[in-house]
């Protein structure tokens, strides 16, 4: 990587944290796009909020903005609306996105705001040392659910499809190369790009073994423009968990219509 997209800030993630892999995938994705001439370095913006994953903006040597917990998307849409030439990325955790920030997620998806939103989904609030989030599995034992969660987890991809999101994907944090490719496809997509990145929290909820045999990549013949097929595919989340781009269509974006 010839571009230096790293700051000198001390990284405070646990040794071996899967956020290192997401950081690396993103730096590679952006670096290649800048080198290919797809975007100018000065036009890239990364937004985060609060949480382990959201520390990522401290470590990125580019335009960054740190917003409030769960409020990444209003900041991202505001930035894109004010200057549509910017390529806007956002990083948030599953607690921040699907709990505190869920209303913003709903409206960003239905508006088709032309921003790229990456959710570090480790199925718990990690920064506050292990409370349940909306994607924690039923029975999850954490600080807020010592006897096990009694709630069914939400399916973020199904929610996004039903709200009209125009780019819906799932990536595996530990597969840096494929995560990089999905991030780049999200960036090239005109409209709201949503990527749920499954990531074990190796300190508080180590799901590496569980994911090892379950995760698989969609094959190249997968029809990314078939909404009904995507609705069925994203509900496959048992013994096997598919990864890749489930749905991708073009529609007018919020910012295009706003400026008209
Ligand atoms: Fe990473 Fe989990 Fe440590 Fe947070 S608590 S830095 S998510 S390993």
């Amino acid at each position: 990587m010839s571009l230096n997209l790293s700051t000198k800030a001390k990284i405070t993630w646990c040794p071996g944290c899967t956020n290192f892999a997401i950081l690396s995938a993103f730096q590679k994705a952006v670096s290649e796009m800048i080198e290919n001439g797809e975007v100018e370095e000065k036009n890239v913006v990364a937004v985060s909020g609060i949480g382990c994953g959201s520390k990522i903006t401290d470590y990125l040597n580019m335009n960054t903005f740190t917003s409030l917990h769960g409020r990444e998307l209003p900041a991202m849409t505001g930035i894109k609306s004010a200057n549509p030439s910017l390529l806007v990325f956002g990083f948030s955790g599953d607690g921040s996105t699907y709990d505190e920030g869920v209303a913003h997620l709903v409206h960003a998806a239905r508006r088709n705001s032309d921003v790229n939103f990456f959710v570090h989904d480790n199925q718990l609030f990690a920064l506050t040392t292990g409370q349940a989030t909306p994607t924690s599995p039923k029975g999850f034992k954490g600080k807020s659910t010592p006897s096990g969660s009694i709630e069914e987890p939400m399916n973020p991809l199904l929610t996004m499809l039903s709200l009209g999101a125009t780019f819906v994907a799932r990536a595996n944090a530990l597969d840096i190369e494929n995560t990089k490719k999905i991030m780049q496809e999200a960036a090239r997509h005109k409209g709201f790009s949503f990527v749920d990145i499954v990531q074990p929290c190796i300190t508080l909820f180590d799901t590496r073994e569980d994911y090892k045999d379950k995760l698989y990549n969609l094959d190249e013949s997968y029809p990314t423009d078939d909404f009904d097929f995507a609705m069925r595919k994203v509900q496959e989340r048992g013994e096997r968990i598919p990864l890749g781009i489930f749905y991708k269509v073009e529609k007018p974006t919020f910012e295009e219509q706003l400026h008209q």
Side-chain angles (χ1 to χ4, degrees):
M1 192 187 301
S2 52
L3 277 168
N4 178 15
L5 296 181
S6 298
T7 65
K8 291 186 177 152
K10 184 180 175 204
I11 297 188
T12 57
W13 288 322
C14 303
C17 173
T18 50
N19 282 315
F20 284 98
I22 296 175
L23 172 64
S24 174
F26 181 66
Q27 288 174 318
K28 286 174 195 274
V30 170
S31 184
E32 285 180 10
M33 292 183 79
I34 293 170
E35 281 163 3
N36 293 344
E38 291 180 79
V39 62
E40 288 185 73
E41 191 175 353
K42 68 180 172 68
N43 285 340
V44 180
V45 185
V47 176
S48 71
I50 305 295
C52 283
S54 286
K55 293 180 187 178
I56 197 166
T57 43
D58 290 349
Y59 313 138
L60 287 168
N61 181 27
M62 59 177 64
N63 302 308
T64 61
F65 182 82
T66 304
S67 76
L68 302 174
H69 200 198
R71 313 298 177 216
E72 301 83 3
L73 281 163
M76 292 162 67
T77 300
I79 291 166
K80 184 71 183 178
S81 301
N83 186 348
S85 65
L86 298 178
L87 179 58
V88 182
F89 297 96
F91 299 88
S92 177
D94 47 297
S96 174
T97 304
Y98 307 133
D99 227 327
E100 288 91 349
V102 70
H104 299 302
L105 182 67
V106 166
H107 299 301
R110 76 176 178 85
R111 284 176 184 139
N112 198 29
S113 180
D114 187 14
V115 296
N116 310 290
F117 195 49
F118 304 147
V119 182
H120 301 225
D121 189 353
N122 54 18
Q123 301 172 283
L124 84 170
F125 285 102
L127 191 65
T128 47
T129 69
Q131 294 78 18
T133 69
T135 53
S136 299
K138 192 169 185 181
F140 169 79
K141 290 187 178 174
K143 293 269 171 72
S144 58
T145 53
S147 304
S149 170
I150 57 172
E151 297 177 6
E152 291 292 337
M154 74 180 276
N155 182 332
L157 282 81
L158 189 61
T159 307
M160 287 295 90
L161 284 173
S162 67
L163 287 164
T166 53
F167 183 103
V168 176
R170 183 188 288 128
N172 169 16
L174 290 171
D175 183 346
I176 294 175
E177 186 59 23
N178 275 323
T179 299
K180 177 200 81 175
K181 286 183 187 161
I182 289 174
M183 286 174 163
Q184 289 176 331
E185 286 306 308
R188 290 174 188 132
H189 174 70
K190 197 158 64 73
F192 184 64
S193 299
F194 169 85
V195 185
D196 187 79
I197 306 176
V198 295
Q199 60 154 172
C201 167
I202 59 161
T203 303
L204 298 166
F205 192 38
D206 191 350
T207 47
R208 278 176 292 184
E209 270 306 304
D210 186 44
Y211 281 142
K212 205 170 70 183
D213 298 322
K214 287 186 178 174
L215 298 175
Y216 74 96
N217 293 314
L218 296 172
D219 63 39
E220 288 188 358
S221 63
Y222 178 90
T224 53
D225 58 351
D226 187 333
F227 180 77
D228 293 334
F229 197 82
M231 286 291 277
R232 287 196 298 277
K233 199 69 184 169
V234 297
Q235 293 184 71
E236 188 184 309
R237 206 179 155 132
E239 286 310 301
R240 309 217 58 210
I241 302 174
L243 301 165
I245 300 167
F246 293 85
Y247 190 58
K248 185 170 71 161
V249 286
E250 293 284 330
K251 283 186 192 163
T253 70
F254 174 73
E255 292 79 13
E256 277 172 347
Q257 296 178 87
L258 182 73
H259 287 283
Q260 274 171 16

